[in-house]
Amino acid sequence: MSSPAPKSPEQNEKTKKYDRQLRLWGDHGQKLLENSKICLINATALGTEIVKSLVLPGIGSFTIVDGDKISEEDIGSNFFLEKESLNSSRAQIATQCLLELNPDVRGDYIDESVEHVISNTQNFFKNFDVVIATALPEKTLIQLSKHLWDIDVPLIVCRSVGFIGYIRLQVKEHTVIEAHPDSESPDLRLSTPWPTLKQYLDSINIEQLDQKEKSHVPPLAILHYYLNKYRNEHNGQIPQKREDKEILKQMIRDSGHSEEGNNRFVLEENFEQAIHYANSCITPRSIPEHVKVILDDDCCINLKQHSSPFWIMCAALREHVQAEGELPLKGTLPDMAADTMSYVTLQNIYRKQAEHHIESVYRRVQQIVRSLGLPQDYIAEDEVKYFCKHSSEIHVIRGSCVANEYHKANPDLTFDLEDPDSLIFYYVILRGLERFISEYNAYPGQLDDQVEPDILKLKAIIGKLLNEWGCSNILRDERVHEVCRYGGAELHSVSAILGGCAAQEVIKVITHQYKPLNNTYIYDTITSTSATFCL
Amino acid sequence: MEEVKESHQRRWIHLRKILERPGPFSHPEFEPSSDVLDFILNTCKILIIGAGGLGCELLKDLAMMGFRHIDIIDMDTIDLSNLNRQFLFRHKDIGLSKAQVAANYINGRISGCQVVPHCCAIEEKKDDFYRQFHVIVCGLDSITARRWINGMVLSLLNYDENGVLNQSSIIPLVDGGTEGFKGNARVILPGMTACIDCTLDLYPPQVTYPLCTIANTPRLPEHCVEFVKVVQWPKENPFGVPLDGDDIQHTTWVYERSLERANQFNIQGVTFRLVQVCASEVFKLASSCCTPLNNFMVFNDIDGIYTYAYEAEKKDNCTACSNIPQSVDIEDPYKMKLKDLIDYLCENVKFQMKNPGLTTTIDGKNKTLYIPTIKMIEERTRPNLSKTLIDLDLKDGQEIVVADITTPTSVIIKLRYAINDVEII
Ligand SMILES: [Zn+2]
């Protein structure tokens, strides 16, 4: 194990400042974040909360598009608009306040409506990594989502009404390399050891060790030794079923006891760990199903000149897997009870083999890059390194365009609507709310004396929508009533929750780490429940 | 010109719609009127524990939800590494009290807001201080402090002569925290619903971590530090000498390795979104505009966004909220030393104490067994640590009063010997 000389206690300021998040997405993720450009449409409370959660961790820059002037209601719900700025440009004041949060971030604004920008500025959205939209009218949303879909810029649409929140992520294709799964078993390859590993492990004869040596021998050597013994006794087979693994574990248990006076026996810790690994780590690591699907994807097989680095690396991985039969070795050894010398030796063996696999994949990547006529530095070796290390976690999302949800007979909600408690009903109501706004130019229930009549109007609109979608009208009336009660109110604490969640999804999209939402999220603050739907 | 009544100002129009109109999902006791906002603006007192990243977010969210009488307590000062998550602090504030700077910022920004800072440890405040609040909300990530506050709100409960809980003595506690890769938010109605100690088994033990935990499944940053100290240092021995906690080079090494490790296991992160859930819950509790979370919510956004709400159960024999002496089974009081008993209290999932002090009564007289916190008494009682329970005259059924920083009150444990007919020799 290498132990580089410690850095000076004075870490550089940036590392210290961003310390917590570096733990979450690493230097490479942070770099992507720092180079990113995002656009916010409408500086509502929700919109500025999202940007706040992106400015603090240090995105590169943001641009706010908003033609509205600041009202008193805005000041009541939006922390980033001060009371002195009543009637000023909402885009300008929000930009100024957000920039105060982090001097590393750049920001600018356009004091025009998004409709104006769409029809007057060609290619305006092309340079953004993500566009965030809040409080968009139906018509604008459809237009914007189509446009961003065509130019392949991710869009995240958010809405906060009373206690209800909605987030919709639109990405044409999104690829994830580091999914950071909750748990995974270590990649040890004991059933198929490569020559160096085999040679090393073969050199340790457990049964000839004395008591002291035995208590320090690495668990992998123990497992290897008894696995061989088991195989010799079982026609070279590896234990597959639980009963078979139990036989192997018993062999380890029998030899791993040491005497501790009064005829009391304890199992040495390293033997205990060997038994633990016998559960999860001796079955040959097959290529996970989700990785197979990706490697057989058309994008992987038929590369084009504009193929993304991800797909080129997948193609190289495919070749590697065809040649080797296994994914590249992760190369990290879990901590285990063993003496330092053997632990370090083993760790080096694993690391060397992983480097060897990275080289193999990188060589293939370079060949492909050359054959596609792309520049040699199109994909850096570091990228290949991360890719190999996480090759069992790779993930691809193919999204759908928001505008499609507005075509007749779409979306298909019949299944979700069968459960009367499903939060999908809030999606239906929010769609009704959008339609209501385009028809009446106000939120349902906006005026105190209009709540009751608006409930009827909104119910009629929703009935029509459900009818268009071919669904029977089974909506619970009280939910429509509840949304009319809100009268378009935006509650700061609800927007704060949604803003935090939406910002996290934006970070996932930018860093290609963690799996993002696919694709619609509804949050209900009343019951503190939420649900995801793929529309 | 006549001043518009505060609760009628346009800036509150969002809140007014929610609070002045009846809704189908409102709490049964909710009576919509302008009095509710008036209560939130002018009467309701909230205490925020912690003015770090989480506390500041809570403070902003609550102030934006109309709360104006907010107290915030934190003993720490601002450090450079705080700046990226604590958006109320600027570079010029480094070295100043977190609570003070946060309070000044919010009071200056939101008109009418009267945040009162307290720059001290929570233990320095007594019951009278805590009793004045309508809701207490935790914005910190320390299990010990959280348990202390939990013990405090429990100690404020009062019961009538029939043992019936006086409802007005209940101060709801709202808390958000991380548990492994997931986070949780919860609402505690002390004496009524599960308290922090009822669900202590959700949190990993504090003092000594089993090696398998710190090596393979670290769930807290502390695990990583512990791992580096216990495993990685001896293994790598970077300076060829034993670890010296006072040597800056050594501590830097441990810090950096712990960071790498925490990074590898991807600890931290979701807590931020949980305090925002907490702010909504405080609003629900204070306004009754809808039923609060009952009572536990799990949040995870590693793969999409996922939440799950359920009712954590109140434990009949909870060390904190059950008022029942806790039995401790002793296999062999002739062999068990006082030190072993203390280790047990620290390591057992149910107790998870940090540094307990033990006293008891023998033949009607008070006897101090061990008090670690006062130097003179510690020295005097230290020899007891290596004595067995029998040597100390402790009998089967003996009640021992245990004090610890995890609770402002004390826990009574009752020894239960497996060997009967113990004879005092
Ligand atoms: Zn309890």
Side-chain angles (χ1 to χ4, degrees):
Chain A
M1 198 187 283
S2 69
S3 50
K7 285 177 220 152
S8 81
E10 320 260 313
Q11 296 167 289
N12 78 50
E13 276 218 355
K14 201 170 234 170
T15 318
K16 211 163 169 187
K17 180 168 159 191
Y18 295 129
D19 154 54
R20 288 194 175 210
Q21 71 219 34
L22 287 177
R23 301 181 201 178
L24 282 176
W25 50 75
D27 282 330
H28 54 297
Q30 184 66 24
K31 209 171 144 201
L32 287 169
L33 202 62
E34 284 170 16
N35 290 326
S36 65
K37 297 190 197 76
I38 59 128
C39 175
L40 169 68
I41 296 168
N42 293 334
T44 55
L46 175 56
T48 53
E49 285 298 312
I50 300 171
V51 177
K52 173 197 109 191
S53 299
L54 294 168
V55 167
L56 287 172
I59 46 157
S61 70
F62 67 86
T63 300
I64 296 181
V65 176
D66 189 339
D68 278 3
K69 300 282 173 255
I70 297 172
S71 68
E72 255 185 280
E73 288 97 312
D74 285 334
I75 293 168
S77 66
N78 192 332
F79 182 70
F80 296 96
L81 303 174
E82 289 167 294
K83 57 181 184 300
E84 295 77 19
S85 50
L86 196 65
N87 300 323
S88 310
S89 150
R90 202 159 72 166
Q92 181 195 352
I93 301 296
T95 303
Q96 284 167 2
C97 287
L98 287 162
L99 280 176
E100 260 182 49
L101 300 177
N102 191 342
D104 299 343
V105 175
R106 280 161 296 122
D108 56 14
Y109 64 92
I110 292 171
D111 184 14
E112 297 282 1
S113 71
V114 62
E115 291 81 3
H116 181 90
V117 171
I118 294 176
S119 45
N120 290 285
T121 321
Q122 280 273 306
N123 293 334
F124 175 80
F125 293 104
K126 219 176 159 181
N127 292 320
F128 294 108
D129 294 288
V130 183
V131 174
I132 301 158
T134 68
L136 276 193
E138 194 177 26
K139 198 170 143 244
T140 317
L141 174 62
I142 295 171
Q143 200 186 353
L144 181 73
S145 85
K146 270 190 194 150
H147 175 60
L148 295 178
W149 181 262
D150 290 341
I151 61 171
D152 200 10
V153 170
L155 165 69
I156 188 159
V157 184
C158 306
R159 203 179 263 290
S160 165
V161 185
F163 287 117
I164 306 301
Y166 161 86
I167 302 174
R168 165 69 154 94
L169 178 62
Q170 169 181 308
V171 276
K172 210 167 195 174
E173 177 190 278
H174 179 71
T175 55
V176 181
I177 294 176
E178 289 164 74
H180 299 275
D182 249 354
S183 66
E184 51 177 348
S185 50
D187 185 6
L188 299 175
R189 314 261 164 120
L190 284 181
S191 51
T192 51
W194 61 96
T196 342
L197 178 65
K198 187 169 184 318
Q199 197 186 354
Y200 176 74
L201 293 176
D202 281 345
S203 73
I204 304 171
N205 185 334
I206 304 290
E207 282 166 11
Q208 280 173 9
L209 301 176
D210 66 31
Q211 202 56 50
K212 187 160 175 285
E213 289 169 327
K214 223 170 149 178
S215 69
H216 291 296
V217 71
L220 296 194
I222 302 169
L223 191 51
H224 174 77
Y225 183 85
Y226 289 101
L227 186 59
N228 273 346
K229 204 167 169 186
Y230 177 96
R231 282 171 126 173
N232 288 338
E233 291 166 12
H234 295 83
N235 309 321
Q237 292 294 307
I238 277 177
Q240 300 278 1
K241 286 185 292 208
R242 245 188 91 213
E243 307 91 90
D244 300 336
K245 283 186 180 173
E246 204 38 60
I247 297 173
L248 171 67
K249 287 199 245 174
Q250 195 53 45
M251 287 162 73
I252 301 173
R253 213 171 278 133
D254 288 342
S255 89
H257 283 104
S258 68
E259 213 165 318
E260 198 201 46
N262 316 345
N263 292 328
R264 279 173 75 168
F265 291 89
V266 289
L267 192 57
E268 294 286 355
E269 198 186 351
N270 49 344
F271 279 78
E272 197 133 13
Q273 288 180 358
I275 290 170
H276 171 77
Y277 288 129
N279 279 328
S280 55
C281 302
I282 53 167
T283 340
R285 270 174 93 86
S286 54
I287 319 282
E289 226 26 70
H290 72 273
V291 177
K292 278 188 198 157
V293 172
I294 294 174
L295 297 188
D296 288 338
D297 195 285
D298 188 54
C299 288
C300 180
I301 295 169
N302 297 313
L303 290 178
K304 306 206 169 58
Q305 224 202 339
H306 60 262
S307 289
S308 66
F310 177 85
W311 287 114
I312 293 177
M313 290 192 284
C314 282
L317 179 67
R318 185 184 156 89
E319 288 177 16
H320 175 90
V321 166
Q322 279 165 353
E324 308 282 335
E326 286 185 305
L327 288 176
L329 183 74
K330 275 190 195 299
T332 38
L333 200 57
D335 308 297
M336 50 186 69
D339 65 301
T340 314
M341 263 299 290
S342 11
Y343 183 82
V344 171
T345 312
L346 264 176
Q347 200 175 45
N348 277 327
I349 293 173
Y350 275 87
R351 206 184 49 210
K352 286 238 170 69
Q353 182 70 0
E355 280 166 9
H356 181 67
H357 285 166
I358 293 167
E359 266 168 48
S360 139
V361 176
Y362 184 52
R363 232 184 2 256
R364 295 172 202 274
V365 165
Q366 282 179 307
Q367 272 167 13
I368 297 170
V369 165
R370 214 173 304 129
S371 68
L372 289 172
L374 291 162
Q376 265 312 266
D377 60 353
Y378 186 63
I379 299 172
E381 192 172 356
D382 260 2
E383 276 183 79
V384 178
K385 199 175 94 190
Y386 286 116
F387 182 81
C388 287
K389 198 171 155 95
H390 299 280
S391 56
S392 63
E393 303 164 26
I394 54 173
H395 182 74
V396 175
I397 289 177
R398 294 220 165 84
S400 62
C401 179
V402 173
N404 282 350
E405 292 169 37
Y406 294 79
H407 288 168
K408 268 199 172 174
N410 263 338
D412 184 9
L413 302 176
T414 14
F415 177 75
D416 294 312
L417 287 171
E418 276 170 20
D419 171 11
D421 289 324
S422 168
L423 292 180
I424 194 70
F425 288 101
Y426 282 119
Y427 168 78
V428 177
I429 296 173
L430 289 177
R431 286 289 304 272
L433 178 126
E434 275 178 353
R435 183 70 51 91
F436 187 104
I437 298 170
S438 11
E439 281 182 25
Y440 299 100
N441 205 23
Y443 276 97
Q446 192 159 327
L447 301 171
D448 284 338
D449 55 0
Q450 291 300 308
V451 179
E452 291 301 324
D454 282 356
I455 294 173
L456 294 177
K457 286 182 193 160
L458 183 58
K459 274 203 318 213
I461 288 175
I462 291 168
K464 223 172 113 197
L465 273 175
L466 284 170
N467 198 23
E468 280 174 26
W469 299 339
C471 305
S472 48
N473 190 354
I474 36 167
L475 199 63
R476 280 162 55 188
D477 282 359
E478 69 261 40
R479 284 177 158 161
V480 181
H481 178 174
E482 177 71 10
V483 172
C484 288
R485 168 201 183 198
Y486 302 149
E490 178 169 9
L491 295 179
H492 184 84
S493 67
V494 175
S495 291
I497 300 172
L498 284 176
C501 291
Q504 193 62 18
E505 297 309 306
V506 171
I507 291 172
K508 290 177 185 177
V509 170
I510 291 170
T511 59
H512 291 263
Q513 295 185 37
Y514 302 93
K515 292 184 193 169
L517 164 70
N518 188 14
N519 52 28
T520 301
Y521 181 73
I522 306 279
Y523 183 84
D524 173 12
T525 319
I526 304 170
T527 54
S528 311
T529 53
S530 69
T532 302
F533 304 95
C534 189
L535 301 177
Chain B
M1 203 172 73
E2 208 184 323
E3 185 80 8
V4 187
K5 198 182 163 200
E6 277 169 323
S7 56
H8 290 167
Q9 286 173 359
R10 282 200 68 80
R11 63 189 270 224
W12 301 122
I13 203 154
H14 296 280
L15 294 175
R16 282 170 56 194
K17 284 178 185 151
I18 306 287
L19 299 176
E20 293 174 15
R21 294 172 174 184
F25 302 112
S26 301
H27 192 277
E29 282 163 32
F30 176 64
E31 284 172 27
S33 82
S34 63
D35 295 346
V36 188
L37 181 58
D38 192 59
F39 169 77
I40 289 180
L41 288 172
N42 299 314
T43 312
C44 190
K45 290 198 77 168
I46 307 283
L47 174 65
I48 298 173
I49 314 274
L54 309 178
C56 285
E57 177 67 27
L58 269 171
L59 181 58
K60 176 212 75 173
D61 291 346
L62 291 173
M64 292 301 294
M65 292 301 279
F67 296 96
R68 303 200 295 192
H69 298 279
I70 306 174
D71 284 36
I72 186 160
I73 180 167
D74 196 314
M75 63 188 293
D76 282 347
T77 52
I78 298 164
D79 179 74
L80 174 66
S81 69
N82 302 143
L83 293 186
N84 87 317
R85 307 202 323 154
Q86 305 181 12
F87 60 99
L88 303 184
F89 306 154
R90 300 291 175 269
H91 211 276
K92 63 175 170 48
D93 300 324
I94 291 177
L96 302 176
S97 149
K98 286 183 177 175
Q100 183 72 56
V101 173
N104 289 352
Y105 192 105
I106 293 293
N107 290 342
R109 183 66 165 263
I110 300 172
S111 63
C113 214
Q114 295 157 40
V115 182
V116 180
H118 304 272
C119 183
C120 64
I122 48 172
E123 295 87 355
E124 285 173 49
K125 297 284 182 188
K126 302 290 167 240
D127 4 352
D128 279 348
F129 172 77
Y130 291 104
R131 210 189 306 274
Q132 62 179 312
F133 299 102
H134 291 90
V135 183
I136 297 178
V137 49
C138 287
L140 41 76
D141 223 355
S142 150
I143 295 165
T144 310
R146 195 182 266 150
R147 286 176 71 190
W148 191 91
I149 284 291
N150 181 58
M152 175 51 78
V153 291
L154 286 167
S155 75
L156 295 178
L157 295 176
N158 61 54
Y159 295 83
D160 68 12
E161 60 274 21
N162 301 320
V164 178
L165 179 59
N166 177 357
Q167 295 284 322
S168 68
S169 67
I170 297 174
I171 300 176
L173 181 64
V174 181
D175 175 57
T178 40
E179 183 254 312
F181 303 102
K182 302 182 177 88
N184 60 65
R186 62 193 296 180
V187 172
I188 294 166
L189 303 175
M192 310 268 293
T193 64
C195 80
I196 300 277
D197 282 47
C198 285
T199 56
L200 209 52
D201 47 1
L202 289 178
Y203 304 101
Q206 287 277 291
V207 176
T208 44
Y209 306 109
L211 198 65
C212 56
T213 302
I214 63 177
N216 298 322
T217 49
R219 294 180 293 264
L220 292 169
E222 290 90 72
H223 280 154
C224 299
V225 176
E226 203 62 20
F227 174 83
V228 172
K229 288 209 288 216
V230 178
V231 181
Q232 211 167 338
W233 182 279
K235 208 173 252 174
E236 298 190 30
N237 205 354
F239 303 99
V241 287
L243 178 63
D244 174 1
D246 294 327
D247 185 323
I248 181 84
Q249 270 206 310
H250 289 196
T251 49
T252 308
W253 191 90
V254 169
Y255 172 75
E256 285 178 355
R257 293 296 96 77
S258 313
L259 225 126
E260 282 168 10
R261 198 171 165 73
N263 183 16
Q264 184 187 341
F265 285 94
N266 155 45
I267 288 164
Q268 291 287 349
V270 294
T271 334
F272 222 56
R273 289 180 287 299
L274 290 160
V275 297
Q276 295 158 337
V277 174
C278 291
S280 294
E281 291 305 323
V282 173
F283 181 75
K284 281 154 83 175
L285 282 162
S287 69
S288 295
C289 68
C290 45
T291 10
L293 168 66
N294 184 24
N295 51 34
F296 206 99
M297 174 192 184
V298 174
F299 181 99
N300 179 353
D301 61 2
I302 282 175
D303 182 356
I305 314 171
Y306 167 87
T307 64
Y308 176 67
Y310 71 99
E311 186 177 348
E313 275 181 43
K314 189 172 181 301
K315 264 201 189 122
D316 292 341
N317 63 344
C318 170
T319 46
C321 71
S322 72
N323 300 323
I324 294 172
Q326 302 294 311
S327 301
V328 173
D329 289 324
I330 310 288
E331 206 178 314
D332 186 350
Y334 288 95
K335 274 199 174 156
M336 184 141 187
K337 301 195 172 82
L338 188 64
K339 173 87 180 65
D340 302 328
L341 181 62
I342 289 174
D343 286 349
Y344 174 82
L345 292 174
C346 293
E347 285 162 23
N348 182 277
V349 201
K350 197 165 120 187
F351 294 103
Q352 293 188 44
M353 291 187 173
K354 296 286 257 189
N355 196 16
L358 283 64
T359 53
T360 188
T361 314
I362 293 176
D363 301 330
K365 275 192 235 156
N366 288 335
K367 177 172 177 174
T368 303
L369 295 170
Y370 183 66
I371 302 279
T373 44
I374 303 162
K375 192 163 180 276
M376 255 173 52
I377 309 182
E378 196 280 330
E379 282 169 7
R380 186 166 57 75
T381 53
R382 198 186 301 157
N384 287 346
L385 290 177
S386 49
K387 290 185 187 160
T388 67
L389 302 185
I390 295 296
D391 290 341
L392 291 165
D393 285 350
L394 302 177
K395 301 190 177 66
D396 188 21
Q398 184 93 30
E399 290 194 353
I400 297 177
V401 181
V402 187
D404 188 56
I405 50 163
T406 53
T407 167
T409 52
S410 49
V411 175
I412 297 171
I413 59 164
K414 195 172 184 174
L415 302 180
R416 214 161 59 186
Y417 293 169
I419 302 173
N420 288 323
D421 308 313
V422 172
E423 299 264 325
I424 305 293
I425 307 159

